[in-house]
Structure formats: structure tokens, C-alpha cells
Amino acid sequence: MDYNHKEIEKRWQEFWRENEVYKTHEDKDRKKFYVLDMFPYPSGAGLHVGHPLGYIASDIYSRFKRQQGFNVLHPMGYDAYGLPAEQYAIQTGQHPEKTTEENIARYRSQLDKIGFSFDWSREVRTCDPKYYKWTQWAFMQMFNSYYDRDLKKAQPISKLIKHFEEQGSVGINPACGKELHFTAEEWNNLSEKEKRERLMNYRIAYQGETMVNWCPQLGTVLANDEVSEGLSVRGGYPVEQKLMNQWCLRVSAYAPRLLDDLAKVEWSDSLKETQRNWIGRSEGAEMRFPVAGKDVELEIFTTRADTIFGVTFMVLAPESKYVEMLTTPEQSEAVKAYLEEVKHKTERERQIEKKVSGVFTGSYAVNPLTGKEIPIWVSDYVLAGYGTGAIMAVPAHDSRDYAFARHFDLPIVPLIEGADVSEESFDAKEGKMINSCGPKLDLNGLEVKDAIAKTKKFIEEEGLGKVKTNYRLRDAIFSRQRYWGEPFPVYYKDGVAYLMDESALPLLLPPVSSYLPTEDGQPPLGRAENWVTPEGYPIEVCTMPGFAGSSAYYLRYMDPHNDKELVSKEADEYWRNVDLYVGGAEHATGHLIYSRFWNKFLYDLGIVCEEEPFKKLVNQGMIQGRTNFVYRIKNTNTFVSHGLRKEYDTTPIRVDVNIVSNDILDTEAFRKWRPDYADAEFILEDGKYVCGYAVEKMSKSMFNVVNPDDIVEKYGADTLRLYEMFLGPVEQSKPWDTNGIDGVNRFLKKLWGLFEKAEKEPAKEMTKEERKAVHKLIKKITEDIENFSFNTSVAAFMIAVNELTSLKSTNREAMEVITRLIAPFAPHIAEEFWHRLGETGSVADAAWPVYDPKALVEDTVKYPVSFNGKTRFFIEAPSGAPKDEVEKLALADAAAEKWLAGKTPKKVIVVPGKIVNVVI
RNA sequence: GCAGAAAUGGUGGAAUGGUAGACACGAGGGACUUAAAAUCCCUUGGCCUUUAUCGGCUGUGUGGGUUCGAGUCCCACUUUCUGUACCA
């Protein structure tokens, strides 16, 4: 019988479903292993062939671990809140829940066809009230917590209140927005409202006036990782800066731990590096410059304390609070005009233009080391959000200061020996200091590194400032002016935010008449009727962002039906954290930071027992599309084949890859594809129309989308799984090319044929050759899966089948072992074999074959013999022969004479089992 | 600019410092067939030699280095991809 993938795959998928083969239970007697995929956002377009790549890899790994005897948790769910469903709702008036529901159903049917071992009984959806109850719950815990910098962990806000009541702000070190100083008496005299407002400065989930990325077209704010090059990641609309009152998460408090704990996880270097850069630790000094004639001190942050003798001016960010204080009456007009100009420039314009601009405030600062007066300027190249929003400018050794100094003709003083600053600044932190001597401090002759250390020490000793570590990581903005997200369990009384009672959870998302903002600019929830508490207080109208629901979903899978806790103690202590996480690297600065933050917060509260959520992480590469082109001769309806296109004046046109096979166009299908092409003419080469190709993003508009359903229909899920792995290393981005799939399909057919022959044979011992082929395979596959090298595994299967075929092997035992080995890769065909071999249960539970090194031991070893490093011939020596015997055999070989050409070798190197190299 | 990764046939890609190009696609040739599809077999980095075999030279982005021996390690450079950017 021929290999009939349709029949086999249908049969075993039903078998798995009926017998609940992939249902997982906590089992204290077995070691756990948690394999997780980043759950998908169910978009309307459905899955294309690139999406399942990571799922297939993780499925192979989980099936392998399961066969090795681990209790494997391998769940799947949906990141169901998101903009596209809402945008669609705005256009059609359809509730996003409905489209989301439909898309999920489509995803599920597509996923089911591929034969994954997901435990669907643990499915989660972020938009399900049973799920988002716990998202809201976590928010409440953050609202009720502050971060204690001394204890380095989150603490109940009640503890902070008690401290304020007893001692005021002294003697406690909470992470905060602004450093506030007050006494217990002052605190106790505050009104309820004032106390609440002040506490916002400390809560981990807090409300604050912050500069946000505002996207007018989307009508919402966006997080930093949702903006790229001044445009929104979703939709590509311009984004501007705006000061707004928003919910935020104090992620910045966790910056040191997020950075340090990267050492504890097995992630790729590049990913760790991306996170390190995003967190952006920089060690420097914060110091104060007095302002001449004013009772104001200008506080600045610098990493180059050594360059203090080269400070020739100061610069303030336009938004800095100092601007108003330091602008003199004479300059007030000019400064006002400049601020107005900057305000109207969007982030994007600022980035594209990168024009040097600025204005003088009229005030002068005093360099505390030299006593010299230096002008204070305002410019938009200084950011309000980083450091103190003010800098000391050292034009000789900072390229931005240099450009500014050149533009406004300010002095440039070089501080490093040999640095030529006539054309550009010298930014490198190396060389010997010059021009750096004042009454109290002399840096001349020191190396930059030592000069920085010495200056820092001096600053602290003299009380000019303090050593400080700054982080670039911003707090996460947690409000979205949208409908399709989790509502905040927050209401407003007397204009201040109060948490609802936990018993109100889940706070359900109410229906609205329209998904657009209200006339007075309120978010869509402003339209909801009765959006008030039972007492009549208005409820928050913003919703939470996408990353809210995706930050702790891995915990919910451990205990998905628990309506008393986010996760029970028992479930958490058994499953602990994710052993292997597979997903795209594009989440490096978003989800993977937020998730780590969220987990650490829950860890501080004692809810979870592991400080890092994802132990090992593998980034699967993107599958790009392979677009095919036809070449239309200009102003005609004639198309010329790729090889002949140079002879004509042509326009390349993208053509649907589904009517092209091995770059040969199906001309009939092409005529039917579009009415315009119905009477197309073709200029062929060798009777064929050959298309050109290019690698591009896989998308509908490029006509290069390949649907996994079509592949499964034609070749079967096992072929799809093997082929996706065979394409190349999982971590690498590569184009999808359906052309190669026949090879993998042929392999499965060969395996099928081999099995059918072996199946009929009575059981007998494997021959030595068969044992060798089989054990070589066990060794290779076991190593490859551990190393996530699935492309070479597939090749190894092909080699083994070819070897057994040429041995004319029909051994049942050999086939039984291969069945167990291939089960993670091609579970359907393996399950079929497993049952035909008379086994019961599922091959998913079949023990992983044990490798016997003795099977690979040879009587003789083949040695390549090299002369001066170049291989010339081969000899065979008994295995285990001592070096000098191998050497003797090599030199005694007839072929050796030719290469020695009468000379005696200077040296002979024998590497046992590897090579003999003769140096002449 | 900075950081990370990478560069191997027509293509996707293999190679614990030890026979470069596994495996597969494509291509070429052949077998079977009335024919096609399917299947099977052979060849396939380049160059040279030979009727053919045998054989030789060369070859992993560029230039150096370490080593008996380098695709692999070190230094410099070029290019590509990814991330990030007035972060002081």
C-alpha cells in the first residue's frame, strides 16, 4: 500500500483527541519540563507557513523530553487583545470579540492539522474574563506596592504609609518619580486627597504626568517599543510627544535586577545584549553647577567627569524646569519662540532633520573647578527624560556638543594629548589628560580612566555632587485610550484614583455603541452606559495595553482553571518556570522585559518561586517569502521568460507563487489569474516560462504567501514538519521555498516502503551493519535535538534510510527503533508504525532509544594520510593500534614512497582515530 | 554612530582545529513506459590532463598571523542582515 498521509493523519489525530494523549497532570514522581511557545495574536489573515516554525521546533523538543520520561507541560493559547480587531470593529461595527472568536477558530483548525502535542485543556485567552481577572488582580497588587531600594524588593504600600506617619520621608529609600522630603507631621497634616496624590509618587502601578508617545491617527499612547523611527509599529502613523496623565508601571525600579539577572538565564548573547542596551546602565556622577547671580544650582549628569575642565557651556532640555528659572528678561522673547518651534516639531521631524538648533538663556553657570562663567543654552538635542534634563557640554570630546559649539561659535578646549579637534570631536575614552589643572584638582598626565575615578572621588569629597548610576530603561506606560483591552479596576472619587474591591473582579469590559473616541475626546469606554461603581463613582475609561495580558500567561498555564488564585502554590512549585521558551527576537525589548519585570514583582510578593520566568530561550528566525516575477514587455500584454528579458524593455510584475512551480510559470493558470492577463502572450525559453525571484517579507501584497493548509493537503503534516526543520537552523531567518519539499516527501515514502517490507518479517537480530546504522542514528538524533539542530537530524534520517535500503534490510527491530526516533518529528507516521508493530498506547510515550557505543566500534580504522597537511591517500589500521604502529603502516604503504620522494620525514603526527600527518 | 550575528557550489545548507561541500533541491545523462506522471540509477565547486579510468592543480568575502595542519583560532579590512540611537 502506498503512503496515504491523509488517512494516517486523520486517524491518529482522532486517536490523540479521543484518548487525551497530550493532557498533562502534575505528577510529583516525575521530573517536570516546561516547553512554551510565544502565544500568537490571532490575526484575520490566518497562519502562513512561517508561523509554525517555532511551534514545530518546540513540539519536537517536548515530544523528545516526554519520551525521555519527563512530565512535559506544553500549552498553547491566544494573545487575543490587539489593535487590528479593534480597527476592524471601527470599520464594520462588529464587536471585536466576534472577530477574535472567528480568528481563533481558524487558527485552531490550522494548528490542529499540523499534529502538535499541545495540552489544549489548558488553553488561555487574554480576553477571557476568567483570564483577565488575574491581569487586573496583578495590577491591583502593583498599585498597592512600592519598591524599596534598600531591600531591593517590592513592599506593601501600607508599610510606606506607616513609615511616613511615624518618621516622614527620612530613613526609607523607596523608588519614586521625584525625591520628596517631608516630616511625619507634614504628612499627617495632609488631606486624604493629598496623601493619595503623594503616594502616586511611590506606587509600582502609578498615575503620572509623563511625556508619552501620542499617535493621533490611532488615538492612543504607545510604549517605546511600539514606536520605531518616530512611527507606530502597527500602522506606521506618525507619533508625537505629549504630556499626559497616564497609568504607568515602575519598571525602572527593577532596572538593576533586570540587568544583573541576565547572567542567570541561558539566552543568546545577542538577545542579552539587546536587553542590556535597552536597560542602558551608565555609571557617572551627578553634580551641581552654581548659577551666577542667582540662588539656583544646575544639576547635571555626566559619565565623563574627567572632562570638567573642558566644559565651555551648559545645555538644558526645552522641557526642563530650569528653563523658566534661568531665562533672563532680555532673552525671554527668543527662548519663548524657540520653545514654540520645538513643540510643533514631531519626534519624526526632529530625527529626520537632526538640525542643530538652540537659544541662549542669558544666564551663566560657574564651573566649580575653575570658577569660570559659562553660558547656559537651551536645545532639543538634550532630552528631558534622561538624567536631569541638563548637561555640561564638552565640545572637544562629544560629537553632539561639538556640532552645537561649531554652529553657535562657542569655544572648544581639547583635554586629551594629541587629540585633533579642528574637524571633529575626539570621543574615545583613551589618552593622557592635558589642560586639566585647577586650584584644587590636577588631572594632567593621567589616563582618562584614572582621571574619571579621581574626579568622581573629588566631587564626592568636596560635596559638589555624588556618584550615580543611571538607567535608560523608562517606566512602562500602561494606559491605552482604546476599547479592546482589560478595563482598570479603578474608580475616581474627588478626582483621585481608588482601587475597587477584589470581589469586583473580573471587571467586565462593557458593551459600547461605537468603538471610536467620544466627541469630547474620551476613549471609547466613555460611551459605555452605567460605567460607574454601585456608589456612582466613575470608572477609569482607559484600558490596559497588549503586554498586560501577555506578561504572566506562562504562570496561568500551570493552573488555568483556578478561580481563587493566579496560580496555586502547589502548581507553581511543581512547574516553577519555563525550561524552554521559543519565540521571535522582536520581543526582546517589549514582552521579554515586561514579563521579567512582572515575574520579579510576583516573586517579591511570594506568589511565584522563581525569579526568572524563562530559563532557556531560543529565537526562531523569520521565514521570509520567495516572490516570483514575470516580465511584461512595456506597453504590451506579452511576457518574456527570465533568461530572455534583457533583450526587451520590460517591467517586472509579482506573480502568485501558487501558480509557479520550480520557477516555471503555469501559463494557463496565469491567464485565469487576472482578467487583464486573459489573453497574455508568452515568449518562452526551451518551451517553458521561467520566472525570476526575490526574497521579501511574506505578505499578501507580494503574492508570496504559502498557506500551511495547502501543504498539509498535498503532502501531509509530517512532510511539512520535516521540511520546515530541514530548511535550515531554527534560529536563522531564511526564505520559504516550496521547491525543495519533494525531497522530504520522497524520504517519507521510502521510509514507508522500508517499513512495509520489515513489518512482514519475523523478529530477528540486527546484523552488525544494521546495528551500526541504527546506533549511529540514535547518537546523532539525541545530540541534535539537545542542540536544537533539527535540520541535520532530518538529514541523518535520510542517510539512515538510504543505508538500510542499500543493506536490503528488512529488520523489524531496526524499524522499531527508527519509529521511536522519528516520533517527535513525524508523529503521525510514527504512530501508524507503532500500532502496526503491535504496540499499544501512543508512540508519544515510547521510551527514547538507548545508544550503545559498542555498536559503532570497528575492527579497523581508516586513516587519511597527509603530507605537510594535505591528504594524499588512506590506510587502514587495527582499531586501538598504538601510534607508532599506525605510523609504521602509513610509511610502509606503497603510496607513501611517491610523496616522500626519497626524503626522510622530519616529523610524523598521529592523532588516534583521526589523521596521520607526515612533515617532510 | 554604537552593539550583535553572519559571509562556504546554480539554490537551501553540512563540517568536536584533522578527507571542505554531508543531506536536499535544481540541472544534465540514462533505465522503465506507446507517451506522460511516478519510480530507480549515474554525473554535478572550478580548472587541467586522459578515449575513459587513474591522476593533478585550485578552492570556504579580502589581507596578514598562530599551527605539522585553519571554513573553524587571533589581528585588520570589506560587505550583508538584525537591533538601537541626540541616553551626555
Side-chain angles (χ1 to χ4, degrees), chain A residues 854-905:
Chain A
K854 277 190 225 125
L856 297 193
V857 173
E858 302 267 1
D859 297 340
T860 59
V861 182
K862 193 177 168 195
Y863 280 89
V865 181
S866 298
F867 286 81
N868 291 336
K870 198 149 188 79
T871 304
R872 296 303 177 181
F873 60 92
F874 298 89
I875 57 156
E876 288 210 353
S879 62
K883 282 185 185 182
D884 51 343
E885 193 186 328
V886 178
E887 182 185 329
K888 224 180 275 172
L889 281 168
L891 294 176
D893 194 280
E897 246 173 76
K898 180 180 167 192
W899 297 103
L900 278 171
K903 286 174 232 155
T904 38

Side-chain angles (χ1 to χ4, degrees), chain A residues 158-229:
Chain A
S158 54
K159 190 178 156 190
L160 186 68
I161 295 172
K162 194 155 173 271
H163 189 99
F164 286 164
E165 285 168 353
E166 290 166 1
Q167 302 173 50
S169 64
V170 187
I172 198 159
N173 187 12
C176 56
K178 267 183 225 141
E179 299 274 354
L180 300 177
H181 304 282
F182 49 88
T183 62
E185 201 192 345
E186 281 168 335
W187 169 264
N188 291 325
N189 285 336
L190 294 176
S191 70
E192 159 87 8
K193 184 180 169 173
E194 286 165 332
K195 279 182 187 166
R196 288 222 153 225
E197 279 167 355
R198 188 159 293 187
L199 285 173
M200 280 298 183
N201 192 36
Y202 304 99
R203 295 182 193 275
I204 288 182
Y206 66 95
Q207 223 171 3
E209 288 271 326
T210 42
M211 217 28 116
V212 298
N213 303 304
W214 173 255
C215 181
Q217 271 86 345
L218 293 173
T220 191
V221 304
L222 297 167
N224 280 345
D225 66 285
E226 291 168 320
V227 182
S228 174
E229 293 179 357

